[in-house]
Amino acid sequence: MRYDGLQAPASFNKWYEVIAMAAGDFVDGMISGTKRISYVELFEEVAARNPLKCVFCGRGMALVQFTHVKHGVFFELFASDRG
């Protein structure tokens, strides 16, 4: 099989570093332009409500544990490091 252009091994090896640096600069530029948002802000944008506010009394809550139906607890804030 014959490869032409940038797919040719000789051309690819020569231009790989240039392409990788350009792609890295592009990604760095995009990431620096984006605003990091918290879990609560993301949830408010998607579901239009605050997940850490009690729906019954309106008081704030703290996130201490993430669980999954099949896999059980996969994050617990107050868990000890001991096995």
Side-chain angles (χ1 to χ4, degrees):
M1 182 175 282
R2 183 183 168 114
Y3 294 105
D4 295 321
L6 282 177
Q7 290 182 343
S11 295
F12 182 78
N13 292 337
K14 183 169 55 172
W15 289 99
Y16 175 77
E17 290 184 27
V18 174
I19 294 170
M21 286 179 56
D25 292 343
F26 179 71
V27 170
D28 289 343
M30 286 188 62
I31 289 176
S32 66
T34 60
K35 179 187 140 202
R36 293 190 58 91
I37 62 173
S38 68
Y39 168 75
V40 173
E41 292 169 337
L42 174 68
F43 198 91
E44 283 179 333
E45 285 184 17
V46 173
R49 70 176 192 88
N50 186 342
L52 297 180
K53 185 176 181 183
C54 181
V55 294
F56 300 110
C57 66
R59 290 189 292 173
M61 298 184 290
L63 182 64
V64 294
Q65 187 179 68
F66 276 120
T67 60
H68 188 270
V69 175
K70 285 197 288 187
H71 305 292
V73 176
F74 59 91
F75 172 78
E76 191 165 4
L77 184 63
F78 300 112
S80 64
D81 291 336
R82 293 176 280 157

